[in-house]
Amino acid sequence: IKNNQIMGKVSSYIKIVRPLNVISGAIAILFSALIVEYKGSIELVLLPMLVVVFFTIGANVLNDYYDFEVDKINRPDRAIITGEVPRVHALYISIFSFIIGILIALQLNQLSQLISIGISFPLLVFYNAKLKNYPLIGNVVVAFILGLSFIYAGSVFNNIDPLMVPAFLAFGLTLIREIVKDIADIKGDQAINSKTLPIVWGKNKSIKLCAFLSIILGICAFILFVIGYYNFYYGLFLIMTVEIPLGVVVISLLNKPTIDTAKRGSKLLKICTLGGLFSIYIGTI
């Protein structure tokens, strides 16, 4: 029984860092190295991956710390809410993770330090503490941070240009996903008088904005195939991993604008970003 209790405790602490998000962040840096065809030392790939890993852990856990009241309604199964992880422990884990991330970031060049420590870190903290409760501003900030992670990778590898398209794609997909997430979280956000977009604008207008943004993103991403910027395989994988899932999410929300539909859509859009990255990598071979 004691071993089961220990394993359960460990599992709770692993869940709180949201390992899938962490792995996705690390994969994004790896894909960035492949896209710029980086041929240098493996250390220079591992270090930015670790920076992103620890910054992501810090941000995820800080999010749970600040969202304590909201998650009682929206995500009652989260470890802080169930009491499996004391709330103060989340704060300690977040602080520790950010410190480790900053110490690793200091091993890299000055431009990457400016991006990670000077821009991303303060934005991650300020977003969780304040900005996420403002309509659209919080969504744009999260999308900007995700897009910036590719610019960060480019700064580490001294080759930013090939990563501008992945940055744009990540920004667009994340912005749409964040609005969809706000639709899914509307009950809890209303309970704490938060001013997210679906609360201020209403669900229907927010869904229409998602549809509009999806069309713009879909057209812009596909134009890169049409003009020959990327090869045939980019177009093929883009349709399968980005365009179709985006269409499914938007049509589902337009037909059935419920919290459950938004939750499913949010999960699907998380996979889209990695799908888009893979499309770009395939498109450059």
Side-chain angles (χ1 to χ4, degrees):
I1 295 170
K2 201 167 187 181
N3 281 346
N4 287 343
Q5 286 176 334
I6 292 167
M7 288 306 292
K9 199 80 173 164
V10 169
S11 172
S12 298
Y13 279 89
I14 290 170
K15 271 194 285 187
I16 200 176
V17 306
R18 299 181 212 169
L20 279 178
N21 285 10
V22 174
I23 293 164
S24 295
I27 290 171
I29 300 298
L30 183 61
F31 266 123
S32 298
L34 293 170
I35 289 164
V36 301
E37 297 178 0
Y38 175 71
K39 302 269 193 317
S41 70
I42 191 75
E43 184 188 8
L44 209 58
V45 178
L46 290 173
L47 288 177
M49 280 175 79
L50 287 171
V51 172
V52 169
V53 161
F54 281 105
F55 272 28
T56 305
I57 290 171
N60 287 344
V61 182
L62 191 64
N63 184 264
D64 280 9
Y65 175 80
Y66 276 111
D67 276 2
F68 184 69
E69 295 301 325
V70 182
D71 284 344
K72 284 179 182 176
I73 298 163
N74 289 336
R75 292 174 178 85
D77 58 333
R78 284 210 165 147
I80 291 181
I81 309 303
T82 59
E84 295 163 83
V85 175
R87 192 182 176 201
V88 72
H89 284 197
L91 186 60
Y92 295 153
I93 292 166
S94 178
I95 292 167
F96 177 76
S97 299
F98 278 129
I99 289 169
I100 298 294
I102 288 167
L103 290 174
I104 298 169
L106 289 169
Q107 312 305 309
L108 299 164
N109 65 34
Q110 281 191 323
L111 179 57
S112 69
Q113 286 179 32
L114 172 68
I115 294 169
S116 58
I117 303 168
I119 302 172
S120 291
F121 168 63
L123 277 179
L124 284 167
V125 174
F126 197 43
Y127 164 77
N128 279 301
K130 207 83 182 161
L131 291 177
K132 67 176 147 195
N133 293 323
Y134 290 93
L136 207 55
I137 296 170
N139 306 132
V140 169
V141 167
V142 174
F144 175 73
I145 293 168
L146 263 288
L148 195 63
S149 62
F150 295 98
I151 309 299
Y152 170 67
S155 71
V156 173
F157 305 132
N158 293 309
N159 193 1
I160 291 173
D161 287 353
L163 294 169
M164 294 302 288
V165 173
F168 164 76
L169 190 65
F171 174 85
L173 283 169
T174 305
L175 180 58
I176 296 163
R177 181 173 178 264
E178 285 299 307
I179 297 169
V180 172
K181 265 176 70 184
D182 281 349
I183 295 166
D185 291 346
I186 197 165
K187 276 188 183 174
D189 289 336
Q190 280 173 330
I192 62 155
N193 296 315
S194 185
K195 298 284 184 261
T196 60
L197 197 70
I199 291 170
V200 174
W201 268 25
K203 267 197 297 187
N204 288 336
K205 279 187 182 174
S206 299
I207 291 166
K208 282 174 185 172
L209 177 62
C210 286
F212 173 73
L213 292 172
S214 297
I215 291 164
I216 298 295
L217 182 67
I219 290 169
C220 290
F222 200 70
I223 282 171
L224 294 166
F225 163 66
V226 174
I227 64 172
Y229 190 81
Y230 293 125
N231 64 29
F232 166 78
Y233 295 104
Y234 164 80
L236 182 67
F237 279 96
L238 183 80
I239 290 167
M240 289 194 300
T241 63
V242 178
E243 310 268 350
I244 291 173
L246 256 182
V248 168
V249 171
V250 169
I251 291 164
S252 299
L253 280 168
L254 287 168
N255 287 337
K256 198 178 178 185
T258 64
I259 288 170
D260 284 340
T261 309
K263 281 181 180 175
R264 285 194 295 272
S266 174
K267 284 175 185 171
L268 188 56
L269 287 172
K270 191 184 282 189
I271 301 161
C272 281
T273 306
L274 289 177
L277 269 181
F278 182 72
S279 304
I280 291 166
Y281 170 59
I282 289 290
T284 57
I285 293 174

